[in-house]
Every structure is written in structure tokens, then in C-alpha cells.
Amino acid sequence: MKYKIERIIMDEVEINAILAELDDLRKKYEELKALHDAQNKIQSDIESRLLDSEARNAALLSANPDMMFVFDKQGYFIDYNGGLNEMYAPPEFFVGKRVDEVLPEQVAKLTHEKIKQLFETGKMQVYDYDLVIQGKTMFFESRLVKYGTDKALAVVRNITQRKNYEITLKESELRYQELYNLLRLLADTAPDMIWAKDAQKRYIFANRAMCQELLNASDTNEPIGKTDLFFALREREKHPEDPNWHTFGELCMDSDEITMRELRPMQFDEYGNVKGKFMFLDVHKAPIFSNDGKLMGVVGTARNITEKKEMEEKLKLSEQTYKGILNSISEAVYIQDENGVFIDVNDTATRIYGYPRDYFIGRTPEFLSAPGYNNLEQVAQCVKKAFHGEPQVFEFWGIRHDGAYFPKIVSLTPGVYFGKNCVIAVARDITEQKNWEKEILEAKSKAEENDKLKSAFLANMSHEIRTPLNGIMGFVQLMRNPNLSKEDFEKYLNVIERSGERLNELLTGLLDMARIEAGQVKVIYKRTNIASLVKYVTEFFTPDARVKGLGITHKINIPEQLVEIETDGYLLQDIFFNLIKNAIKYTNKGNITIGCEYFDSSLLFKVSDTGIGVPRDKQKVIFERFVRANNDLTNPVDGAGLGLSIAKAYVERLGGKIWLESEPGKGSTFYFTIPLSPNVNF
């Protein structure tokens, strides 16, 4: 029993020991379990963080616009990341290959050098290069860093846009510099002063003329940042003994301030002494605005008009002297330009005509001319001749303000009117002289009958010259009869006029023929209105045609764009004159027609009549000198036979042709062409 009790006690002790040991084991288990759970949690956190890091890195790589390449030390491509559009070659072409096998020689060599420097220094290498991808040049920036111990990571960025911007910016800067240099050259070459100032009136630009003539600056850079006052004070300090050495602008308004206040271009007269001499400037200024409309300053130009102002003062004094002299002359004096327009007149002219001075200015002698008494075309020619240095003297019948007619003798000489060429006309009223001449002519009427002897002498000359001269001299004798009626007087005067015209026509024809044979006929091309010319010659000969009871008309059938052509209008007019005079001379009844139409790149003109016509055997020689259309071709009774030969020469001089179609007893039509100038398209 005792043994059993002892055994039980022993078993309890052992059980307690076992329990204690089990308790220790349980505690260790719990510690190990807690440690295991902690490790699992740490591992789970690490795995979660790793996944987050991988996702973040993947996102960063995906969002990164740059390309990345991994190289080994020998320059082999190991890996890459980035878009394919900007790659020089597809990945399968370069992964596992050296850069020499993939990139152009220069780029490959540069990459090898940078990889070598990276592993030698351990420092990041940055370099630029360009590649031609898909036919376009693209620029890249590569940043090379170590990746592990034996690899290099290249982060490559496409900088094409930046490079192009830099190139454009550089070109823009170069262009700006070229434009600035051009502006500087133009400004420094210009004789006028040119400058610009900021809103504080400090110079930001000044050309050479400004620096030399006004500021007395050493060069064009010195004025920058300085004001006018700086240079004015410096000049005055250099010459304290002369208070008038530099006074420019002292009495003038602040034109910079006014221009910036008015905000518009303005003109100013500015003056004063510069370097001891008076200077007068014509100044123009305008405000400068920025792109957003902000006032930045003022720009200006100035022209030195000192000499002009001095000349104006002298001219003013000279004009006063001239006026005094001109108005003291007892004869009428007119100052005219080349076209006869009155520029000035003296007081005598205003008294003679009864018009105020201002009424003359801008008008021509036509408004002073007694109607029907003067050949105004001849007067205009005299003015032009005098203007070009050939003095002229002629009689002119004027009409006063009260309507009275009076004769005057006019003398034209070339002159200068305040620096401009002009014609000086001096006119003297010869009313008394005319009356005296009339009395003398009447007193000598009988004595002058002896002039009939001259007519007898002229009878021995050719009939063509003798006939008009006889007519002139004979009727002059008849007109001296004091008992002659007014009707007979007018009749005889008309005969004399026609005879004079006939003689003038003969002499003109001879002179024209002489010019033709001497090759002195010059063609002066200018715009000529064909319609106006044809109308003019028609109207010109209408009176002559009516005298013979003939009708004269014209018909123009040409496109509107050919109404005005380049030709010599004067020669063309002379051609018409000769042909129409010829038609009137040989037509006793019927009509004369003048026509114009377009034909074969030329203008075709014609003059038709219903006259006596030209025999066929004479038509080939009708354009030769001294040839007539009547039975006796060389008979000079009805003319010298020069008109058609002159017309033919002028037509050929203008590059055209002339011919005729005629039937005796029915009339003739003379045709001639004038070629159009090469620049006329129709």
C-alpha cells in the first residue's frame, strides 16, 4: 500500500514534470508560431510591395516617353524598352548585336566611347546624335548610366522638336541680325537724321547723321541710354565762352512729349545753333507701340533744311524786288510756261485788259484772243519755240474785258522765273501804229501799182508758182482802190488767202520732199486715238468740200481695243491731208468717204472719191513726184504733183503700204495700211 502510495506520488511528480515540459513546449510552439506568422506577414508585405513596385515600374516605363536600351561593356544590345516608331531598326534586328552592326559608323563610334568613359569614370555620360528614320532626320539625346556591375542603361529621348526649334531660333536670330545690319546700313547711309527713344526719352537708336550733325556723338552706340540734355550740356560745357555755341531746341516745344501725348504721327519745325551755326530741321515723329498696344517711345526723322530756309528768305526778298521792277514797266509783261499758261503778269497787263491779276493765272492766251483774228495753234508753237531758246515776234489781236478788240505786237524770249524756265512775253498796244500804217498804205496805193511789173516777171517762172503769186499780188492791187466795196474787198481777200494757201502748200510739199530725200523724217511713236484723228481730218476738210458742193463723211469699223494704237499721229495726219486734198481737187460732184477697218494685223485706211479717176496706164506712176492724174501728168496747172509721193513716203516710213483702185469717170479709192505694234494682241 505504502508502495502504491509512493508510486502514485512519484507518478504525480512525473506528470507534473511532463506537464511543465509540455507547457514549455506549448509556449515555444506559440513563440515559433507567432514568429512564423510574423515572417509570413513580412513575406506577404514584401511580396505586396514588390508587386506594387513592379506595377509602379511597369507604369512608369509605360508612361515614359523615352526609349531605354541596355548594353554590356562590349557594346552589345541586351534589352530595350520604348516605342517602335522612333527606333532606328526593329528589336529583332539589334538585340544581341553590337552597336557597330546596327548604327551608322559615327554614332556607333560615339556610343563605344561613351560606354568606355562610363565604366572608367562611373559618371553618367550625356551625348547627342542624329539618325535618318523613315526618310526624316531625327535628333536624340542619350543619358548613359551604369546598370549593375557590367551593364549600361541608355535613356534615349527624341529631341527633334527641340533641335528644330533651336535651329529655327538660330536662323531667326541670324535673320534678325541681318535685318538689323541692313537697317543700320540703310539708316547710316541716309542723309536724314533717324532715331528712336524709349518712353523716358532716352535714345535706343541713332543713325550716323544724327550722331555727327546734331549730337556730336563719338559713334552710334554712345547715344544709347542718354537724353538730348546730356549732349546739349556737354556741348555747352566744352564752350563756356560762347553761350550761342549750342542753343538747338531751347525755343522749341518738347516734341517728344507732344507726340507721345497725341499718339499719332506729327511734324515739327525745330531750330537753333549747333556747333555755333544755325540749323533748321524739318522733323517728323511718331509713337512706338508694343504688340499689345503699350506705348514704348517715339521714333523720328529730321531733314536739314537750313539752306532751303535761307533760300526761301532770299527768294522772298528777290520776289519783292522782282515785283517792283515788273510793275514799273509800261508795257504788258506776261510770264508763261512751255504750254503758254500764265504764271504771272504785271500791273500794265491788268490795266490793258481790265482783268485782275488772279484772273490771268492758270489760263492761256486763248481767253485773251479776239475771236477769228488769231491762229492760236501758231501762237502755241511760238511759245514752245521761245521756251526752247528761239525768240519770237508776232502780232496778236486781243479782246478787253469790255469787249473791245485791239492789236498788239508780242515779243517772246526765254527766261527764268524763280529757278524755273519760262517764257517772258512783252506786249505793246499798236492800235495807233495800225492806224498810221493804214493811212500810209492808202496814200501809197497809186505808187504801189508799179508792183504789176513784178507780176510780169513772175509770169516767166513755172506756172505753179506764178499762179498763186499773181493771184496774191493782183488782188492786193485791186484792194487798194479806195472806192472798192466791202463785198469785193472780202472776195479779193479770200482769193489772196487761197492763193497763199496754194503757195504755202507747194512750198510745204517741196520742203517735205526735201526732208524725205535727206532721210530726216523721224517717226515718233506715241498713243494715238484713231477715231479722234479720222474725225478731226473729216471736220477739217468739211469747209473745203462744201465750197465745191461735195459731201465728206467718215466710217470707222475697228474693235474698241484698237481705237488707240502706238504710231506717229502727225505723219498719219499728213497722209490723210495729202490724200483728202487730192480727192477734193479732182472731184467736182459727189462725195468723199474716209474709212478705217482692221485687216491682217494692220489698220486699213481708205479715202474714196467720185472724181475723174486715174487711167489704168497711169496708176503705176501716180505716186511718183510731179505726176498728175489728168491727161498731161506733168502739167503743173492744178498742182505740183507732190502730195501722193509724200503720202507714199510717210506710209512706208510707218511700215505700211499704199495703193489705189480707180476707174476713170467714176472715182478713185486710195488704200494704205499701218501695222500694229508688236505688243497689240487681237
Side-chain angles (χ1 to χ4, degrees), residues 299-456:
V299 64
T301 64
R303 177 166 295 179
N304 190 339
I305 58 172
T306 306
E307 293 184 2
K308 178 183 176 183
K309 283 292 181 180
E310 293 174 351
M311 184 64 70
E312 287 177 354
E313 289 298 322
K314 293 179 181 178
L315 191 62
K316 185 177 180 181
L317 179 61
S318 176
E319 184 175 359
Q320 293 173 350
T321 304
Y322 153 79
K323 287 289 186 182
I325 296 174
L326 186 66
N327 290 327
S328 67
I329 299 175
S330 60
E331 295 168 322
V333 180
Y334 313 86
I335 309 299
Q336 299 171 272
D337 65 12
E338 182 180 9
N339 298 315
V341 176
F342 292 118
I343 303 172
D344 199 0
V345 298
N346 69 344
D347 290 346
T348 305
T350 63
R351 287 196 302 270
I352 290 176
Y353 279 97
Y355 295 107
R357 175 182 175 276
D358 292 343
Y359 192 77
F360 288 83
I361 309 306
R363 287 182 165 85
T364 61
E366 183 177 1
F367 93 98
L368 300 176
S369 175
Y373 276 70
N374 303 300
N375 186 336
L376 294 176
E377 290 185 4
Q378 185 177 357
V379 171
Q381 289 299 318
C382 288
V383 173
K384 288 186 177 296
K385 289 180 180 180
F387 183 85
H388 292 290
E390 186 178 346
Q392 303 288 310
V393 178
F394 58 90
E395 288 187 7
F396 186 90
W397 280 81
I399 179 171
R400 306 184 201 274
H401 184 260
D402 60 6
Y405 294 4
F406 71 99
K408 61 180 182 178
I409 187 74
V410 181
S411 174
L412 304 180
T413 56
V416 178
Y417 179 79
F418 295 106
K420 295 183 179 180
N421 292 336
C422 68
V423 174
I424 300 175
V426 179
R428 178 168 52 89
D429 188 336
I430 58 171
T431 303
E432 294 183 1
Q433 179 181 334
K434 282 291 183 181
N435 293 334
W436 174 77
E437 288 177 354
K438 184 178 179 181
E439 293 175 358
I440 295 297
L441 290 174
E442 291 176 353
K444 293 183 177 181
S445 61
K446 292 183 180 181
E448 290 178 352
E449 292 179 359
N450 293 328
D451 287 341
K452 294 179 180 179
L453 296 174
K454 295 180 181 179
S455 298

Side-chain angles (χ1 to χ4, degrees), residues 31-46:
E31 289 176 357
L32 289 173
K33 185 175 182 298
L35 180 62
H36 180 266
D37 290 342
Q39 288 177 342
N40 285 341
K41 184 178 181 181
I42 292 172
Q43 182 177 356
S44 177
D45 289 342
I46 291 173

Side-chain angles (χ1 to χ4, degrees), residues 121 131 216 259 281 302 306 319 356 411 550 562 614 677:
T121 63
L131 295 172
N216 200 19
T259 302
L281 299 182
T306 306
E319 184 175 359
S411 174
L550 305 175
L562 298 183
V614 180
S677 57

Side-chain angles (χ1 to χ4, degrees), residues 531-551:
S532 297
L533 180 58
V534 172
K535 182 179 179 182
Y536 167 73
V537 296
T538 303
E539 293 176 349
F540 184 87
F541 284 101
T542 296
D544 292 343
R546 287 177 178 173
V547 169
K548 296 187 67 174
L550 305 175

Side-chain angles (χ1 to χ4, degrees), residues 553-593:
T553 59
H554 68 272
K555 183 178 181 181
I556 301 173
N557 185 22
I558 57 176
E560 184 177 352
Q561 61 266 38
L562 298 183
V563 170
E564 282 196 2
I565 65 170
E566 292 285 339
T567 189
D568 190 319
Y570 292 108
L571 291 184
L572 184 57
Q573 177 179 291
D574 284 347
I575 295 169
F576 272 121
F577 274 27
N578 282 292
L579 294 179
I580 296 172
K581 283 190 291 185
N582 193 71
I584 293 175
K585 187 181 298 182
Y586 291 104
T587 303
N588 296 320
K589 61 179 180 178
N591 297 286
I592 295 171
T593 304

